[in-house]
Amino acid sequence: MSEQDVRQSRRDQQLVSIDPATGEAVGSVPLTPLDAIPRLVFEARNAQRGWGALSHAQRADILRPAAARLKAEAKRLGALASREMGKPLPEAIGEANYCADGLASELDEIVSALADIVREDGRLTSILRHAPLGVCAAITPWNFPILMPHQSVLPALLAGNSVLLKPSEETSLVACEYARILNEFLPAGVLTPVFGDGAQGRALVLADVNLIVFTGSRETGKKILADAGPGLKRVILELGGKDPLVVLDDADLDQAAAFAVRNSFRNAGQVCVSTERIYVDAHIHDEFLRRMIERTAGLKQGDPAEPGVGVGPMVNARQKAKVLAQIDGAVRAGARVAAGGEPRAGNFVAPTILVDVDHSMEIMREETFGPVACVQSFRTVDEAVRLANDTPFGLGAAVFGSDAARAAEVAARIEAGMVGVNGGCGGANGSPWVGMKESGYGFHSGPEGHRQFAQVRVISRPRAVTSDA
Ligand code: NAD
């Protein structure tokens, strides 16, 4: 579909999804007119009254049957997500299944996190209640087009808020289907999709909402924070990253190289916790690089629906141009392409490894969000830690080393919300998904995350005095 066709469909008030692998139109949804947004927020506020009056457990019970429906539709949802944003089909279906399979325990975890907490001293008994905030705007990106809406919408709804979900303009179709499934169970008006781009997102932030749950880029996060400021609206911002991987001299090289390739090129590098910078002890640098190059050569790139394809396209031409501009800038400044780098047609970027990089290059400082791994050597652990921390981002990180205690000590020195030792950065069940520095402002998941979607209230009364006191 040409740019002109897309502009025409916008004039027809339709938002068209384009398959980034083929350029074909996948389908369209009606664009939400900007002037309709205040009315939608007003209707969501009306719907919230009844919804907010239910208990957390009642709200969870209403949503429980959605698990079976999501499971039954997982293949269809996955296929739609894969076509809209280019994720390999098995991974997209896996994302849908993950949401379906985890729904019941997620609901239980949220209900338990939002239960009353009793605090007592000699004088008072206080009950900490987790009350609804009101109307929530959930604004999500395209890279996990089912999981991101799921993780934003569920805790917001269970806390008793009504939700307006504004998915990415790249993945409206799958978000529309996700909302449709939840709406088979929810009372009318409690979950309302809003379709459009940054204009619709901004209109929602500026409307009469009480909570803004945003996952997306650091730049957009800053705009949202500025727009939410005058109204002192509650915000949860999960933003971008520039994750480092530190490979210590005693690391299992096969394990570290396998992780580096998987975590740099998964979803064509379009993952917030992608490994984008790799710091390797100088003693093992050449052998680690050799193993990484060998594994990268084995990756199959192509149409995400084709069997065996592990790396799909960039989500759109803009993202491809951004990634290529960072690679070109680095090469002009002295970086060397150790793998990939060759031009690819359409929206594809070959999985690329860059060496001879340094922190004067934009590619070592700004998020790339593409299939590019930059490898730099270090001589001392202090130097590795300094380089890993030389970034405004602080989302995820990983440290590989056979002496797990030593690797864990290095991990603790890295300024990131989540650090994995000999593995990825995601924590055990019940852990929050959390960024430090400019990667996060508020966070979600785990009991600590779920409580951020609610208003804590404290109801206190004098402690009963016993007669024999
Ligand atoms: P983006 O910031 O361009 O857009 C995200 C959403 O915000 C979209 O729905 C978009 O329409 C909307 N939006 C744009 N401008 C807006 C404005 N001014 N006001 C309100 N809404 C606005 O991000 P993207 O390209 O969709 O996603 C990629 C980014 O998301 C990367 O930076 C990635 O690291 C980040 N991300 C972070 C996490 C995390 O958990 N920290 C998870 C996934 C993605």
Side-chain angles (χ1 to χ4, degrees):
M1 194 174 194
S2 71
E3 294 240 334
Q4 202 183 352
D5 292 339
V6 172
R7 275 199 296 277
Q8 178 59 43
S9 57
R10 288 210 154 216
R11 279 195 290 276
D12 298 341
Q13 299 299 305
Q14 290 293 310
L15 187 56
V16 182
S17 268
I18 309 289
D19 181 335
T22 63
E24 287 162 13
V26 184
S28 65
V29 291
L31 196 63
T32 305
L34 290 178
D35 59 7
I37 287 179
R39 177 179 53 78
L40 292 176
V41 173
F42 177 77
E43 287 169 3
R45 191 166 295 287
N46 283 341
Q48 190 274 330
R49 287 197 192 93
W51 180 246
L54 301 176
S55 70
H56 300 124
Q58 285 171 324
R59 291 193 279 262
D61 286 344
I62 288 173
L63 277 166
R64 237 171 256 285
R69 289 286 297 115
L70 284 171
K71 190 74 187 168
E73 301 261 8
K75 278 199 179 141
R76 206 171 61 78
L77 288 174
L80 197 50
S82 172
R83 281 209 71 199
E84 276 192 290
M85 54 69 67
K87 179 176 298 205
L89 185 58
E91 289 177 32
I93 296 174
E95 183 179 334
N97 274 323
Y98 177 83
C99 294
D101 295 342
L103 183 73
S105 59
E106 186 77 0
L107 293 175
D108 290 341
E109 185 183 275
I110 300 172
V111 170
S112 147
L114 299 183
D116 287 355
I117 296 170
V118 179
R119 294 270 153 79
E120 287 186 314
D121 61 13
R123 206 170 43 96
L124 292 172
T125 299
S126 298
I127 298 175
L128 278 59
R129 293 244 153 99
H130 297 99
L133 280 153
V135 179
C136 165
I139 302 173
T140 55
W142 46 266
N143 64 334
F144 285 89
I146 309 167
L147 182 63
M148 294 295 113
H150 192 69
Q151 286 181 332
S152 310
V153 162
L154 278 192
L157 284 175
L158 252 69
N161 307 295
S162 56
V163 177
L164 293 125
L165 168 65
K166 209 300 282 171
S168 167
E169 53 275 33
E170 305 288 352
T171 51
S172 307
L173 297 175
V174 69
C176 181
E177 287 302 294
Y178 173 79
R180 184 184 59 70
I181 291 172
L182 260 51
N183 272 328
E184 288 175 19
F185 307 97
L186 290 166
V190 166
L191 172 63
T192 308
V194 168
F195 298 115
D197 57 17
Q200 277 73 9
R202 178 156 200 249
L204 265 180
V205 171
L206 294 172
D208 181 25
V209 297
N210 308 95
L211 167 67
I212 299 146
V213 180
F214 171 75
T215 307
S217 64
R218 177 179 57 153
E219 291 64 34
T220 307
K222 287 182 180 179
K223 286 184 198 162
I224 289 178
L225 196 54
D227 281 339
L232 292 176
K233 291 169 187 166
R234 176 83 64 92
V235 291
I236 298 172
L237 306 176
E238 288 279 8
L239 308 176
K242 188 77 196 163
D243 287 14
L245 159 64
V246 173
V247 186
L248 298 172
D249 55 1
D250 63 342
D252 176 324
L253 288 190
D254 264 336
Q255 200 194 12
F259 173 82
V261 169
R262 190 171 61 249
N263 215 46
S264 297
F265 302 137
R266 179 166 77 105
N267 209 14
Q270 301 167 119
V271 178
C272 55
V273 290
S274 249
T275 296
E276 297 203 349
R277 300 174 293 142
I278 303 175
Y279 304 106
V280 191
D281 188 289
H283 297 97
I284 53 165
H285 173 274
D286 292 355
E287 182 54 22
F288 171 83
L289 185 63
R290 193 188 66 72
R291 294 188 199 200
M292 233 192 124
I293 293 170
E294 196 176 282
R295 283 178 180 273
T296 302
L299 292 174
K300 183 173 169 193
Q301 185 170 37
D303 188 316
E306 253 180 54
V309 164
V311 186
M314 299 283 85
V315 71
N316 56 33
R318 205 168 0 101
Q319 190 58 26
K320 175 176 179 174
K322 183 188 155 203
V323 174
L324 291 185
Q326 278 197 0
I327 296 174
D328 287 351
V331 169
R332 267 187 278 111
R336 185 170 60 79
V337 177
E342 65 274 10
R344 292 264 156 103
N347 289 324
F348 291 88
V349 175
T352 299
I353 301 174
L354 291 183
V355 293
D356 298 339
V357 288
D358 64 54
H359 281 219
S360 69
M361 300 169 182
E362 187 195 352
I363 205 158
M364 294 302 278
R365 298 191 316 267
E366 292 301 326
E367 188 177 40
T368 305
F369 225 54
V372 187
C374 298
V375 183
Q376 185 174 355
S377 68
F378 65 81
R379 300 221 157 259
T380 65
V381 169
D382 284 349
E383 184 191 3
V385 170
R386 182 181 59 73
L387 288 168
N389 290 340
D390 182 24
T391 168
F393 293 101
L395 191 54
V399 179
F400 275 66
S402 293
D403 179 344
R406 175 177 170 241
E409 267 174 37
V410 177
R413 295 173 63 195
I414 296 182
E415 296 163 357
M418 301 171 286
V419 191
V421 173
N422 294 325
C425 69
N429 281 344
S431 305
W433 187 260
V434 54
M436 258 172 96
K437 303 202 300 196
E438 294 189 16
S439 288
Y441 191 95
F443 57 91
H444 64 68
S445 295
E448 294 84 359
H450 300 324
R451 290 187 187 122
Q452 299 195 20
F453 292 71
Q455 174 64 53
V456 183
R457 303 186 61 219
V458 183
I459 317 287
S460 303
R461 60 185 162 74
R463 253 193 108 174
V465 180
T466 53
S467 53
D468 55 351

